[in-house]
Amino acid sequence: MAKKIFIKVLLITFWCGVGFTQSSPAELYYKNGRVQKGFAKILIEVESHNKKFHETGYVQFKETKKSKSILIRLKRLDKVRILRRGKVITYEILKAYGEGDSFKAMKLLEKGKVNLYEYETKGVPGLTGNSNSVLPAPTGLASSICVLRDGEEMATRLTRNSAFSNNFREAAAYYFRDCSELVDRFKKGKYGKRNILEAVKFYNDSCQGQ
């Protein structure tokens, strides 16, 4: 009996993968218009105990704290709203250039003509921690900063973008090339990864129509 209990605990541990430490009150918005309320957390990676099953892009959800958790694929969802520490955090489900066909739960940091997002993936050597992050990332995770204009179907990464040799300021200057004043600020070093939120707010407030 003890052995069976141990195996079940081990299976659950690996299936949780990498994500938030506990479920929080949440609302799931499906692509078909359905809204489901309960408790959820974003899973960055899901893996079975024997490593025969491995995927990314899930939400672990349960309707009540006592009910059994289920896994919901991100591709079925438009967004997830999670209440954490008294604040509602919105995650929009999007694809990013350079990430293949996988959907990412992107944390919305700024909404406007250009939206600013951050999402996390399992860390790889040289990209873990908070080196590319607007906010500190948990150890072993890599954060990517993305932007998305109205009308664009996929987000563009400003960090870890091989098209610009992973140079953040070059990628940002190219993306915001329709605003010469903002491009100049990136080139002169006034804006960078740490204050990209301020840069996007500047674009949304001052650069439309240029």
mmCIF file of all heavy atoms in Angstrom, residues 30-78:
data_model
loop_
_atom_site.group_PDB
_atom_site.id
_atom_site.type_symbol
_atom_site.label_atom_id
_atom_site.label_comp_id
_atom_site.label_asym_id
_atom_site.label_seq_id
_atom_site.Cartn_x
_atom_site.Cartn_y
_atom_site.Cartn_z
ATOM 1 N N TYR A 30 -12.679 30.375 -22.815
ATOM 2 C CA TYR A 30 -12.449 29.460 -23.922
ATOM 3 C C TYR A 30 -12.686 30.134 -25.263
ATOM 4 O O TYR A 30 -13.411 31.139 -25.364
ATOM 5 C CB TYR A 30 -13.363 28.241 -23.800
ATOM 6 C CG TYR A 30 -13.020 27.315 -22.654
ATOM 7 C CD1 TYR A 30 -13.423 27.617 -21.358
ATOM 8 C CD2 TYR A 30 -12.296 26.144 -22.874
ATOM 9 C CE1 TYR A 30 -13.111 26.767 -20.302
ATOM 10 C CE2 TYR A 30 -11.980 25.289 -21.827
ATOM 11 C CZ TYR A 30 -12.395 25.611 -20.542
ATOM 12 O OH TYR A 30 -12.077 24.779 -19.491
ATOM 13 N N LYS A 31 -12.117 29.563 -26.304
ATOM 14 C CA LYS A 31 -12.291 30.109 -27.652
ATOM 15 C C LYS A 31 -13.736 30.025 -28.131
ATOM 16 O O LYS A 31 -14.155 30.801 -28.987
ATOM 17 C CB LYS A 31 -11.372 29.373 -28.635
ATOM 18 C CG LYS A 31 -9.889 29.643 -28.402
ATOM 19 C CD LYS A 31 -9.048 29.003 -29.475
ATOM 20 C CE LYS A 31 -7.561 29.208 -29.219
ATOM 21 N NZ LYS A 31 -7.153 30.624 -29.199
ATOM 22 N N ASN A 32 -14.503 29.089 -27.576
ATOM 23 C CA ASN A 32 -15.901 28.948 -27.982
ATOM 24 C C ASN A 32 -16.836 29.875 -27.203
ATOM 25 O O ASN A 32 -18.055 29.790 -27.343
ATOM 26 C CB ASN A 32 -16.353 27.497 -27.831
ATOM 27 C CG ASN A 32 -16.307 27.006 -26.380
ATOM 28 O OD1 ASN A 32 -16.050 27.780 -25.454
ATOM 29 N ND2 ASN A 32 -16.543 25.716 -26.191
ATOM 30 N N GLY A 33 -16.287 30.752 -26.373
ATOM 31 C CA GLY A 33 -17.093 31.713 -25.627
ATOM 32 C C GLY A 33 -17.425 31.293 -24.205
ATOM 33 O O GLY A 33 -17.929 32.099 -23.414
ATOM 34 N N ARG A 34 -17.151 30.071 -23.854
ATOM 35 C CA ARG A 34 -17.439 29.580 -22.504
ATOM 36 C C ARG A 34 -16.497 30.214 -21.478
ATOM 37 O O ARG A 34 -15.321 30.420 -21.752
ATOM 38 C CB ARG A 34 -17.289 28.062 -22.477
ATOM 39 C CG ARG A 34 -17.532 27.414 -21.116
ATOM 40 C CD ARG A 34 -17.137 25.951 -21.160
ATOM 41 N NE ARG A 34 -17.271 25.314 -19.860
ATOM 42 C CZ ARG A 34 -16.720 24.145 -19.544
ATOM 43 N NH1 ARG A 34 -16.022 23.487 -20.451
ATOM 44 N NH2 ARG A 34 -16.873 23.633 -18.341
ATOM 45 N N VAL A 35 -17.031 30.506 -20.303
ATOM 46 C CA VAL A 35 -16.235 31.014 -19.185
ATOM 47 C C VAL A 35 -16.395 30.049 -18.016
ATOM 48 O O VAL A 35 -17.511 29.691 -17.648
ATOM 49 C CB VAL A 35 -16.667 32.430 -18.754
ATOM 50 C CG1 VAL A 35 -15.836 32.896 -17.556
ATOM 51 C CG2 VAL A 35 -16.534 33.410 -19.910
ATOM 52 N N GLN A 36 -15.287 29.603 -17.464
ATOM 53 C CA GLN A 36 -15.305 28.628 -16.376
ATOM 54 C C GLN A 36 -14.560 29.201 -15.174
ATOM 55 O O GLN A 36 -13.427 29.665 -15.296
ATOM 56 C CB GLN A 36 -14.654 27.323 -16.836
ATOM 57 C CG GLN A 36 -14.836 26.147 -15.886
ATOM 58 C CD GLN A 36 -14.295 24.852 -16.477
ATOM 59 O OE1 GLN A 36 -13.466 24.856 -17.378
ATOM 60 N NE2 GLN A 36 -14.776 23.723 -15.978
ATOM 61 N N LYS A 37 -15.212 29.155 -14.009
ATOM 62 C CA LYS A 37 -14.612 29.696 -12.795
ATOM 63 C C LYS A 37 -14.175 28.569 -11.870
ATOM 64 O O LYS A 37 -14.811 27.527 -11.792
ATOM 65 C CB LYS A 37 -15.603 30.609 -12.080
ATOM 66 C CG LYS A 37 -15.991 31.842 -12.877
ATOM 67 C CD LYS A 37 -16.931 32.738 -12.090
ATOM 68 C CE LYS A 37 -17.306 33.974 -12.889
ATOM 69 N NZ LYS A 37 -18.215 34.875 -12.121
ATOM 70 N N GLY A 38 -13.078 28.799 -11.175
ATOM 71 C CA GLY A 38 -12.568 27.800 -10.244
ATOM 72 C C GLY A 38 -11.209 28.206 -9.730
ATOM 73 O O GLY A 38 -10.985 29.368 -9.386
ATOM 74 N N PHE A 39 -10.289 27.232 -9.716
ATOM 75 C CA PHE A 39 -8.924 27.468 -9.237
ATOM 76 C C PHE A 39 -7.953 26.928 -10.281
ATOM 77 O O PHE A 39 -8.153 25.835 -10.810
ATOM 78 C CB PHE A 39 -8.705 26.786 -7.886
ATOM 79 C CG PHE A 39 -9.583 27.326 -6.798
ATOM 80 C CD1 PHE A 39 -10.874 26.865 -6.636
ATOM 81 C CD2 PHE A 39 -9.118 28.321 -5.948
ATOM 82 C CE1 PHE A 39 -11.700 27.374 -5.638
ATOM 83 C CE2 PHE A 39 -9.919 28.834 -4.948
ATOM 84 C CZ PHE A 39 -11.217 28.368 -4.795
ATOM 85 N N ALA A 40 -6.912 27.694 -10.572
ATOM 86 C CA ALA A 40 -6.024 27.291 -11.658
ATOM 87 C C ALA A 40 -4.602 27.764 -11.428
ATOM 88 O O ALA A 40 -4.338 28.665 -10.634
ATOM 89 C CB ALA A 40 -6.546 27.845 -12.987
ATOM 90 N N LYS A 41 -3.695 27.125 -12.149
ATOM 91 C CA LYS A 41 -2.318 27.599 -12.251
ATOM 92 C C LYS A 41 -1.792 27.240 -13.637
ATOM 93 O O LYS A 41 -2.220 26.251 -14.258
ATOM 94 C CB LYS A 41 -1.430 27.020 -11.156
ATOM 95 C CG LYS A 41 -1.201 25.530 -11.208
ATOM 96 C CD LYS A 41 -0.250 25.110 -10.086
ATOM 97 C CE LYS A 41 -0.016 23.609 -10.052
ATOM 98 N NZ LYS A 41 0.911 23.219 -8.968
ATOM 99 N N ILE A 42 -0.875 28.065 -14.119
ATOM 100 C CA ILE A 42 -0.278 27.842 -15.427
ATOM 101 C C ILE A 42 0.832 26.813 -15.284
ATOM 102 O O ILE A 42 1.673 26.911 -14.394
ATOM 103 C CB ILE A 42 0.310 29.145 -15.996
ATOM 104 C CG1 ILE A 42 -0.735 30.268 -15.985
ATOM 105 C CG2 ILE A 42 0.858 28.910 -17.406
ATOM 106 C CD1 ILE A 42 -1.910 30.043 -16.881
ATOM 107 N N LEU A 43 0.838 25.822 -16.180
ATOM 108 C CA LEU A 43 1.912 24.839 -16.206
ATOM 109 C C LEU A 43 2.808 25.124 -17.400
ATOM 110 O O LEU A 43 2.343 25.165 -18.536
ATOM 111 C CB LEU A 43 1.355 23.421 -16.311
ATOM 112 C CG LEU A 43 0.458 22.941 -15.158
ATOM 113 C CD1 LEU A 43 0.025 21.515 -15.409
ATOM 114 C CD2 LEU A 43 1.182 23.055 -13.824
ATOM 115 N N ILE A 44 4.073 25.324 -17.130
ATOM 116 C CA ILE A 44 5.015 25.580 -18.209
ATOM 117 C C ILE A 44 5.426 24.276 -18.878
ATOM 118 O O ILE A 44 5.640 24.209 -20.083
ATOM 119 C CB ILE A 44 6.246 26.326 -17.662
ATOM 120 C CG1 ILE A 44 5.812 27.715 -17.181
ATOM 121 C CG2 ILE A 44 7.327 26.463 -18.728
ATOM 122 C CD1 ILE A 44 6.902 28.473 -16.480
ATOM 123 N N GLU A 45 5.519 23.231 -18.088
ATOM 124 C CA GLU A 45 5.929 21.938 -18.637
ATOM 125 C C GLU A 45 5.186 20.813 -17.930
ATOM 126 O O GLU A 45 4.982 20.863 -16.726
ATOM 127 C CB GLU A 45 7.434 21.744 -18.461
ATOM 128 C CG GLU A 45 7.972 20.484 -19.109
ATOM 129 C CD GLU A 45 9.481 20.408 -18.985
ATOM 130 O OE1 GLU A 45 9.961 20.027 -17.901
ATOM 131 O OE2 GLU A 45 10.160 20.751 -19.962
ATOM 132 N N VAL A 46 4.757 19.820 -18.693
ATOM 133 C CA VAL A 46 4.061 18.656 -18.141
ATOM 134 C C VAL A 46 4.813 17.407 -18.575
ATOM 135 O O VAL A 46 5.102 17.228 -19.758
ATOM 136 C CB VAL A 46 2.601 18.596 -18.636
ATOM 137 C CG1 VAL A 46 1.921 17.340 -18.134
ATOM 138 C CG2 VAL A 46 1.842 19.831 -18.189
ATOM 139 N N GLU A 47 5.117 16.555 -17.620
ATOM 140 C CA GLU A 47 5.873 15.350 -17.930
ATOM 141 C C GLU A 47 5.394 14.197 -17.054
ATOM 142 O O GLU A 47 5.194 14.360 -15.855
ATOM 143 C CB GLU A 47 7.354 15.606 -17.688
ATOM 144 C CG GLU A 47 8.263 14.462 -18.101
ATOM 145 C CD GLU A 47 9.721 14.839 -17.933
ATOM 146 O OE1 GLU A 47 10.271 15.460 -18.859
ATOM 147 O OE2 GLU A 47 10.283 14.528 -16.871
ATOM 148 N N SER A 48 5.185 13.026 -17.651
ATOM 149 C CA SER A 48 4.774 11.858 -16.878
ATOM 150 C C SER A 48 5.962 11.314 -16.097
ATOM 151 O O SER A 48 7.121 11.609 -16.401
ATOM 152 C CB SER A 48 4.209 10.775 -17.801
ATOM 153 O OG SER A 48 5.202 10.321 -18.686
ATOM 154 N N HIS A 49 5.676 10.482 -15.107
ATOM 155 C CA HIS A 49 6.733 9.993 -14.227
ATOM 156 C C HIS A 49 7.772 9.161 -14.959
ATOM 157 O O HIS A 49 8.935 9.125 -14.586
ATOM 158 C CB HIS A 49 6.124 9.180 -13.083
ATOM 159 C CG HIS A 49 5.612 7.842 -13.493
ATOM 160 N ND1 HIS A 49 4.451 7.697 -14.226
ATOM 161 C CD2 HIS A 49 6.116 6.605 -13.286
ATOM 162 C CE1 HIS A 49 4.254 6.411 -14.436
ATOM 163 N NE2 HIS A 49 5.238 5.719 -13.882
ATOM 164 N N ASN A 50 7.364 8.496 -16.046
ATOM 165 C CA ASN A 50 8.318 7.665 -16.785
ATOM 166 C C ASN A 50 8.908 8.389 -17.998
ATOM 167 O O ASN A 50 9.627 7.789 -18.795
ATOM 168 C CB ASN A 50 7.646 6.365 -17.245
ATOM 169 C CG ASN A 50 6.414 6.636 -18.109
ATOM 170 O OD1 ASN A 50 6.156 7.766 -18.517
ATOM 171 N ND2 ASN A 50 5.662 5.590 -18.383
ATOM 172 N N LYS A 51 8.577 9.692 -18.125
ATOM 173 C CA LYS A 51 9.116 10.565 -19.181
ATOM 174 C C LYS A 51 8.722 10.117 -20.585
ATOM 175 O O LYS A 51 9.324 10.536 -21.565
ATOM 176 C CB LYS A 51 10.644 10.673 -19.064
ATOM 177 C CG LYS A 51 11.099 11.321 -17.768
ATOM 178 C CD LYS A 51 12.593 11.590 -17.765
ATOM 179 C CE LYS A 51 13.000 12.300 -16.477
ATOM 180 N NZ LYS A 51 14.436 12.623 -16.419
ATOM 181 N N LYS A 52 7.688 9.273 -20.686
ATOM 182 C CA LYS A 52 7.195 8.892 -22.008
ATOM 183 C C LYS A 52 6.237 9.938 -22.555
ATOM 184 O O LYS A 52 5.943 9.962 -23.745
ATOM 185 C CB LYS A 52 6.492 7.521 -21.929
ATOM 186 C CG LYS A 52 7.442 6.364 -21.678
ATOM 187 C CD LYS A 52 6.702 5.034 -21.698
ATOM 188 C CE LYS A 52 7.668 3.877 -21.512
ATOM 189 N NZ LYS A 52 6.971 2.563 -21.528
ATOM 190 N N PHE A 53 5.729 10.784 -21.678
ATOM 191 C CA PHE A 53 4.789 11.829 -22.072
ATOM 192 C C PHE A 53 5.370 13.176 -21.666
ATOM 193 O O PHE A 53 5.706 13.408 -20.522
ATOM 194 C CB PHE A 53 3.445 11.606 -21.384
ATOM 195 C CG PHE A 53 2.445 12.700 -21.643
ATOM 196 C CD1 PHE A 53 1.601 12.635 -22.739
ATOM 197 C CD2 PHE A 53 2.348 13.792 -20.793
ATOM 198 C CE1 PHE A 53 0.681 13.643 -22.977
ATOM 199 C CE2 PHE A 53 1.426 14.798 -21.035
ATOM 200 C CZ PHE A 53 0.592 14.723 -22.121
ATOM 201 N N HIS A 54 5.522 14.076 -22.627
ATOM 202 C CA HIS A 54 6.138 15.367 -22.338
ATOM 203 C C HIS A 54 5.546 16.421 -23.265
ATOM 204 O O HIS A 54 5.618 16.299 -24.481
ATOM 205 C CB HIS A 54 7.657 15.286 -22.524
ATOM 206 C CG HIS A 54 8.353 16.593 -22.317
ATOM 207 N ND1 HIS A 54 8.492 17.529 -23.308
ATOM 208 C CD2 HIS A 54 8.929 17.114 -21.216
ATOM 209 C CE1 HIS A 54 9.147 18.570 -22.839
ATOM 210 N NE2 HIS A 54 9.424 18.351 -21.575
ATOM 211 N N GLU A 55 4.925 17.429 -22.705
ATOM 212 C CA GLU A 55 4.342 18.500 -23.503
ATOM 213 C C GLU A 55 4.442 19.818 -22.763
ATOM 214 O O GLU A 55 4.726 19.862 -21.568
ATOM 215 C CB GLU A 55 2.867 18.208 -23.819
ATOM 216 C CG GLU A 55 2.662 17.111 -24.846
ATOM 217 C CD GLU A 55 1.217 17.074 -25.337
ATOM 218 O OE1 GLU A 55 0.710 18.145 -25.703
ATOM 219 O OE2 GLU A 55 0.632 15.996 -25.332
ATOM 220 N N THR A 56 4.206 20.898 -23.479
ATOM 221 C CA THR A 56 4.151 22.221 -22.858
ATOM 222 C C THR A 56 2.804 22.853 -23.167
ATOM 223 O O THR A 56 2.150 22.509 -24.149
ATOM 224 C CB THR A 56 5.267 23.131 -23.395
ATOM 225 O OG1 THR A 56 5.126 23.249 -24.825
ATOM 226 C CG2 THR A 56 6.641 22.564 -23.082
ATOM 227 N N GLY A 57 2.383 23.781 -22.326
ATOM 228 C CA GLY A 57 1.184 24.542 -22.614
ATOM 229 C C GLY A 57 -0.097 24.005 -22.048
ATOM 230 O O GLY A 57 -0.958 23.523 -22.785
ATOM 231 N N TYR A 58 -0.230 24.051 -20.730
ATOM 232 C CA TYR A 58 -1.438 23.594 -20.058
ATOM 233 C C TYR A 58 -1.810 24.522 -18.911
ATOM 234 O O TYR A 58 -0.977 25.263 -18.383
ATOM 235 C CB TYR A 58 -1.238 22.186 -19.467
ATOM 236 C CG TYR A 58 -1.345 21.057 -20.460
ATOM 237 C CD1 TYR A 58 -0.231 20.642 -21.175
ATOM 238 C CD2 TYR A 58 -2.552 20.401 -20.681
ATOM 239 C CE1 TYR A 58 -0.315 19.591 -22.083
ATOM 240 C CE2 TYR A 58 -2.640 19.353 -21.580
ATOM 241 C CZ TYR A 58 -1.523 18.957 -22.278
ATOM 242 O OH TYR A 58 -1.608 17.922 -23.177
ATOM 243 N N VAL A 59 -3.091 24.441 -18.538
ATOM 244 C CA VAL A 59 -3.568 25.019 -17.296
ATOM 245 C C VAL A 59 -4.061 23.870 -16.428
ATOM 246 O O VAL A 59 -4.805 23.005 -16.906
ATOM 247 C CB VAL A 59 -4.722 26.020 -17.529
ATOM 248 C CG1 VAL A 59 -5.366 26.433 -16.208
ATOM 249 C CG2 VAL A 59 -4.210 27.251 -18.265
ATOM 250 N N GLN A 60 -3.627 23.843 -15.186
ATOM 251 C CA GLN A 60 -4.166 22.868 -14.238
ATOM 252 C C GLN A 60 -5.347 23.518 -13.541
ATOM 253 O O GLN A 60 -5.198 24.577 -12.929
ATOM 254 C CB GLN A 60 -3.100 22.466 -13.219
ATOM 255 C CG GLN A 60 -3.579 21.388 -12.255
ATOM 256 C CD GLN A 60 -2.452 20.884 -11.365
ATOM 257 O OE1 GLN A 60 -1.425 20.428 -11.856
ATOM 258 N NE2 GLN A 60 -2.635 20.988 -10.067
ATOM 259 N N PHE A 61 -6.529 22.900 -13.637
ATOM 260 C CA PHE A 61 -7.771 23.539 -13.196
ATOM 261 C C PHE A 61 -8.603 22.601 -12.333
ATOM 262 O O PHE A 61 -8.634 21.389 -12.564
ATOM 263 C CB PHE A 61 -8.597 23.976 -14.410
ATOM 264 C CG PHE A 61 -9.920 24.586 -14.065
ATOM 265 C CD1 PHE A 61 -10.020 25.918 -13.692
ATOM 266 C CD2 PHE A 61 -11.078 23.811 -14.101
ATOM 267 C CE1 PHE A 61 -11.242 26.474 -13.355
ATOM 268 C CE2 PHE A 61 -12.306 24.362 -13.765
ATOM 269 C CZ PHE A 61 -12.386 25.701 -13.385
ATOM 270 N N LYS A 62 -9.274 23.181 -11.351
ATOM 271 C CA LYS A 62 -10.292 22.449 -10.585
ATOM 272 C C LYS A 62 -11.386 23.430 -10.181
ATOM 273 O O LYS A 62 -11.118 24.610 -9.914
ATOM 274 C CB LYS A 62 -9.680 21.771 -9.360
ATOM 275 C CG LYS A 62 -8.871 22.649 -8.443
ATOM 276 C CD LYS A 62 -8.232 21.798 -7.354
ATOM 277 C CE LYS A 62 -7.362 22.621 -6.425
ATOM 278 N NZ LYS A 62 -6.731 21.780 -5.373
ATOM 279 N N GLU A 63 -12.628 22.953 -10.159
ATOM 280 C CA GLU A 63 -13.763 23.830 -9.910
ATOM 281 C C GLU A 63 -13.834 24.287 -8.456
ATOM 282 O O GLU A 63 -14.269 25.397 -8.172
ATOM 283 C CB GLU A 63 -15.058 23.137 -10.327
ATOM 284 C CG GLU A 63 -15.174 22.951 -11.836
ATOM 285 C CD GLU A 63 -16.544 22.437 -12.241
ATOM 286 O OE1 GLU A 63 -17.263 21.908 -11.357
ATOM 287 O OE2 GLU A 63 -16.896 22.560 -13.431
ATOM 288 N N THR A 64 -13.453 23.409 -7.543
ATOM 289 C CA THR A 64 -13.393 23.760 -6.122
ATOM 290 C C THR A 64 -12.041 23.311 -5.576
ATOM 291 O O THR A 64 -11.337 22.521 -6.210
ATOM 292 C CB THR A 64 -14.516 23.078 -5.314
ATOM 293 O OG1 THR A 64 -14.282 21.664 -5.280
ATOM 294 C CG2 THR A 64 -15.881 23.366 -5.936
ATOM 295 N N LYS A 65 -11.689 23.807 -4.406
ATOM 296 C CA LYS A 65 -10.405 23.426 -3.825
ATOM 297 C C LYS A 65 -10.313 21.935 -3.546
ATOM 298 O O LYS A 65 -9.225 21.367 -3.542
ATOM 299 C CB LYS A 65 -10.159 24.223 -2.544
ATOM 300 C CG LYS A 65 -9.823 25.685 -2.792
ATOM 301 C CD LYS A 65 -9.421 26.383 -1.503
ATOM 302 C CE LYS A 65 -8.971 27.810 -1.784
ATOM 303 N NZ LYS A 65 -8.544 28.504 -0.546
ATOM 304 N N LYS A 66 -11.474 21.307 -3.313
ATOM 305 C CA LYS A 66 -11.479 19.887 -2.971
ATOM 306 C C LYS A 66 -11.684 18.964 -4.177
ATOM 307 O O LYS A 66 -11.521 17.757 -4.059
ATOM 308 C CB LYS A 66 -12.562 19.609 -1.929
ATOM 309 C CG LYS A 66 -12.301 20.270 -0.583
ATOM 310 C CD LYS A 66 -13.373 19.902 0.431
ATOM 311 C CE LYS A 66 -13.089 20.524 1.787
ATOM 312 N NZ LYS A 66 -14.115 20.160 2.803
ATOM 313 N N SER A 67 -12.041 19.531 -5.317
ATOM 314 C CA SER A 67 -12.290 18.689 -6.486
ATOM 315 C C SER A 67 -10.979 18.266 -7.150
ATOM 316 O O SER A 67 -9.916 18.845 -6.906
ATOM 317 C CB SER A 67 -13.167 19.433 -7.494
ATOM 318 O OG SER A 67 -12.540 20.623 -7.925
ATOM 319 N N LYS A 68 -11.068 17.264 -8.006
ATOM 320 C CA LYS A 68 -9.892 16.719 -8.675
ATOM 321 C C LYS A 68 -9.434 17.662 -9.787
ATOM 322 O O LYS A 68 -10.237 18.199 -10.548
ATOM 323 C CB LYS A 68 -10.225 15.352 -9.260
ATOM 324 C CG LYS A 68 -9.036 14.642 -9.884
ATOM 325 C CD LYS A 68 -9.432 13.263 -10.378
ATOM 326 C CE LYS A 68 -8.258 12.551 -11.021
ATOM 327 N NZ LYS A 68 -8.636 11.201 -11.524
ATOM 328 N N SER A 69 -8.132 17.837 -9.901
ATOM 329 C CA SER A 69 -7.570 18.707 -10.933
ATOM 330 C C SER A 69 -7.618 18.042 -12.304
ATOM 331 O O SER A 69 -7.481 16.822 -12.420
ATOM 332 C CB SER A 69 -6.120 19.061 -10.598
ATOM 333 O OG SER A 69 -6.029 19.796 -9.403
ATOM 334 N N ILE A 70 -7.803 18.850 -13.330
ATOM 335 C CA ILE A 70 -7.725 18.386 -14.708
ATOM 336 C C ILE A 70 -6.753 19.281 -15.467
ATOM 337 O O ILE A 70 -6.467 20.411 -15.043
ATOM 338 C CB ILE A 70 -9.099 18.397 -15.403
ATOM 339 C CG1 ILE A 70 -9.674 19.827 -15.446
ATOM 340 C CG2 ILE A 70 -10.066 17.444 -14.729
ATOM 341 C CD1 ILE A 70 -10.935 19.956 -16.270
ATOM 342 N N LEU A 71 -6.239 18.778 -16.572
ATOM 343 C CA LEU A 71 -5.340 19.556 -17.415
ATOM 344 C C LEU A 71 -6.091 20.046 -18.648
ATOM 345 O O LEU A 71 -6.773 19.274 -19.319
ATOM 346 C CB LEU A 71 -4.141 18.711 -17.842
ATOM 347 C CG LEU A 71 -3.177 18.280 -16.740
ATOM 348 C CD1 LEU A 71 -2.087 17.397 -17.318
ATOM 349 C CD2 LEU A 71 -2.577 19.486 -16.040
ATOM 350 N N ILE A 72 -5.953 21.336 -18.943
ATOM 351 C CA ILE A 72 -6.622 21.945 -20.095
ATOM 352 C C ILE A 72 -5.559 22.539 -21.013
ATOM 353 O O ILE A 72 -4.716 23.322 -20.573
ATOM 354 C CB ILE A 72 -7.597 23.047 -19.643
ATOM 355 C CG1 ILE A 72 -8.669 22.435 -18.727
ATOM 356 C CG2 ILE A 72 -8.245 23.729 -20.849
ATOM 357 C CD1 ILE A 72 -9.562 23.461 -18.072
ATOM 358 N N ARG A 73 -5.590 22.160 -22.262
ATOM 359 C CA ARG A 73 -4.611 22.658 -23.224
ATOM 360 C C ARG A 73 -4.790 24.158 -23.462
ATOM 361 O O ARG A 73 -5.913 24.649 -23.612
ATOM 362 C CB ARG A 73 -4.748 21.919 -24.559
ATOM 363 C CG ARG A 73 -4.382 20.445 -24.504
ATOM 364 C CD ARG A 73 -4.607 19.807 -25.852
ATOM 365 N NE ARG A 73 -4.350 18.379 -25.833
ATOM 366 C CZ ARG A 73 -3.165 17.832 -26.093
ATOM 367 N NH1 ARG A 73 -2.149 18.622 -26.407
ATOM 368 N NH2 ARG A 73 -2.996 16.526 -26.052
ATOM 369 N N LEU A 74 -3.683 24.859 -23.544
ATOM 370 C CA LEU A 74 -3.741 26.301 -23.776
ATOM 371 C C LEU A 74 -4.424 26.641 -25.094
ATOM 372 O O LEU A 74 -5.087 27.675 -25.205
ATOM 373 C CB LEU A 74 -2.325 26.896 -23.769
ATOM 374 C CG LEU A 74 -1.606 26.963 -22.425
ATOM 375 C CD1 LEU A 74 -0.242 27.630 -22.600
ATOM 376 C CD2 LEU A 74 -2.428 27.712 -21.387
ATOM 377 N N LYS A 75 -4.276 25.799 -26.102
ATOM 378 C CA LYS A 75 -4.835 26.104 -27.420
ATOM 379 C C LYS A 75 -6.359 26.174 -27.405
ATOM 380 O O LYS A 75 -6.969 26.696 -28.343
ATOM 381 C CB LYS A 75 -4.359 25.100 -28.466
ATOM 382 C CG LYS A 75 -4.863 23.685 -28.272
ATOM 383 C CD LYS A 75 -4.309 22.778 -29.365
ATOM 384 C CE LYS A 75 -4.840 21.354 -29.253
ATOM 385 N NZ LYS A 75 -4.295 20.487 -30.328
ATOM 386 N N ARG A 76 -7.001 25.679 -26.339
ATOM 387 C CA ARG A 76 -8.459 25.762 -26.223
ATOM 388 C C ARG A 76 -8.908 27.104 -25.635
ATOM 389 O O ARG A 76 -10.094 27.414 -25.651
ATOM 390 C CB ARG A 76 -8.978 24.633 -25.339
ATOM 391 C CG ARG A 76 -8.762 23.228 -25.881
ATOM 392 C CD ARG A 76 -9.319 22.197 -24.908
ATOM 393 N NE ARG A 76 -10.731 22.423 -24.634
ATOM 394 C CZ ARG A 76 -11.394 21.865 -23.619
ATOM 395 N NH1 ARG A 76 -10.756 21.059 -22.779
ATOM 396 N NH2 ARG A 76 -12.672 22.111 -23.433
ATOM 397 N N LEU A 77 -7.966 27.888 -25.125
ATOM 398 C CA LEU A 77 -8.302 29.087 -24.370
ATOM 399 C C LEU A 77 -7.901 30.367 -25.097
ATOM 400 O O LEU A 77 -6.942 30.399 -25.872
ATOM 401 C CB LEU A 77 -7.598 29.051 -23.012
ATOM 402 C CG LEU A 77 -7.875 27.826 -22.127
ATOM 403 C CD1 LEU A 77 -6.934 27.822 -20.934
ATOM 404 C CD2 LEU A 77 -9.330 27.828 -21.664
ATOM 405 N N ASP A 78 -8.654 31.439 -24.808
ATOM 406 C CA ASP A 78 -8.285 32.776 -25.260
ATOM 407 C C ASP A 78 -7.450 33.490 -24.203
ATOM 408 O O ASP A 78 -6.476 34.174 -24.515
ATOM 409 C CB ASP A 78 -9.544 33.616 -25.563
ATOM 410 C CG ASP A 78 -10.030 33.428 -26.982
ATOM 411 O OD1 ASP A 78 -9.186 33.157 -27.870
ATOM 412 O OD2 ASP A 78 -11.237 33.537 -27.217
#
